[in-house]
Amino acid sequence: MLRHPLTCLAAIPLSLLFSLGILLASLEADPVPPLIIHAAGRVDGISGTNSLEALEETYAAGGRAIEIDFDWTSDGELVCIHDFTDRFTPLLHGEPCTLEEFLNIRYLNRYTPMTARDLLDWLSRHTDVILITDFKSGNVDGLETLAWMAQDYPNLQSRIYPQIYHQEEYWPVRGLGYRNIIYTLYAEHYDIRRDAAGITAFAQSHPLAAVTVPMAIVDQQGQSYVDTINEADIPLYIHTVNGIQDIRKYQAMGIYGVYTDYPR
């Protein structure tokens, strides 16, 4: 999504202008709903499981833009998990397990963990859902793996909205065929996170589906920070917001959307 039209077009041949117009249109991102459901959403009041049951509950409640956490098992398989700590099962101890061990886990003895392939199978049956990725390590490699897997499902890659964590990831991820890239700043250096003008300049020169910033940064930097980033005409999101009054407060500031644990 480019905010400023190109200038000095009179000297450019019409054939080149036509080709350039097609290129720019192909770079523009698609809209994202204002609510992005964090880590597959809550199930039975529990957040962060990235489980099949959470995904089903979120979908039943109307969630259609769903963020999932990804990481790698010790034998190099891609799975849906925030971390390998023991907060949901004593079978994990802080280090990646094997795929076989992962498949034998039940979070809190009742919730089903998913591999990346399980998730893509689910997405192929729920064609109105978009996936927002959150890789805890190996982002570009993981997105390459997802793109390779998605070849088995017609048009599925277009519904995967990858998050990038550093500006230098933009073109490698774009080169993998992803159209709708979200620039999320939680892993950036603090000086980059708080630099609204720099974020705006990047968004204006790199078509994005959204920019996402931590809630604490918005609270620290205030209204002028939001106003500056909004000059890029790119939807601005914050994470993670669960109180309805907080959501209304940030919307009043001009923030387009939030990541939340609740699908309603």
Side-chain angles (χ1 to χ4, degrees), residues 42-62:
R42 290 195 176 192
V43 56
D44 300 328
I46 301 165
S47 301
T49 66
N50 291 281
S51 65
L52 175 61
E53 289 79 7
L55 200 59
E56 294 282 10
E57 188 163 309
T58 289
Y59 186 81

Side-chain angles (χ1 to χ4, degrees), residues 60-233:
R64 294 297 183 269
I66 304 175
E67 183 217 45
I68 296 289
D69 299 311
F70 294 90
D71 211 338
W72 306 87
T73 64
S74 60
D75 47 352
E77 298 296 328
L78 194 59
V79 295
C80 305
I81 192 170
H82 184 276
D83 56 67
F84 289 92
T85 61
D86 63 358
R87 62 179 177 144
F88 295 131
T89 172
L91 299 176
L92 295 176
H93 309 286
E95 296 294 332
C97 62
T98 66
L99 178 63
E100 181 179 0
E101 291 168 335
F102 180 82
L103 293 174
N104 287 320
I105 288 170
R106 288 298 175 268
Y107 296 139
L108 302 174
N109 295 317
R110 58 187 184 275
Y111 303 125
T112 309
M114 295 183 295
T115 65
R117 179 67 70 177
D118 293 333
L119 177 61
L120 295 189
D121 286 342
W122 187 92
L123 288 169
S124 73
R125 300 190 301 273
H126 299 78
T127 57
D128 53 345
V129 173
I130 64 171
L131 166 67
I132 292 86
T133 66
D134 189 5
F135 281 86
K136 299 308 176 184
S137 63
N139 188 40
V140 176
D141 288 342
L143 290 170
E144 182 177 12
T145 298
L146 276 188
W148 173 76
M149 289 181 176
Q151 294 177 10
D152 294 336
Y153 307 88
N155 303 316
L156 195 149
Q157 188 178 355
S158 65
R159 293 191 285 122
I160 300 175
Y161 287 52
Q163 293 191 118
I164 60 169
Y165 310 98
H166 305 286
Q167 295 178 7
E168 59 268 24
E169 292 179 334
Y170 181 88
W171 288 114
V173 170
R174 192 88 205 199
L176 294 171
Y178 292 101
R179 174 188 177 94
N180 301 298
I181 296 175
I182 297 173
Y183 178 31
T184 187
L185 283 95
Y186 75 80
E188 287 281 27
H189 188 277
Y190 177 70
D191 288 343
I192 296 176
R193 279 181 278 163
R194 68 179 183 175
D195 179 12
I199 296 164
T200 301
F202 178 78
Q204 287 174 330
S205 59
H206 296 75
L208 294 167
V211 171
T212 301
V213 299
M215 183 167 51
I217 292 292
V218 172
D219 290 342
Q220 291 166 7
Q221 302 298 316
Q223 186 67 58
S224 63
Y225 179 87
V226 174
D227 292 343
T228 298
I229 295 178
N230 278 339
E231 292 178 6
D233 291 338

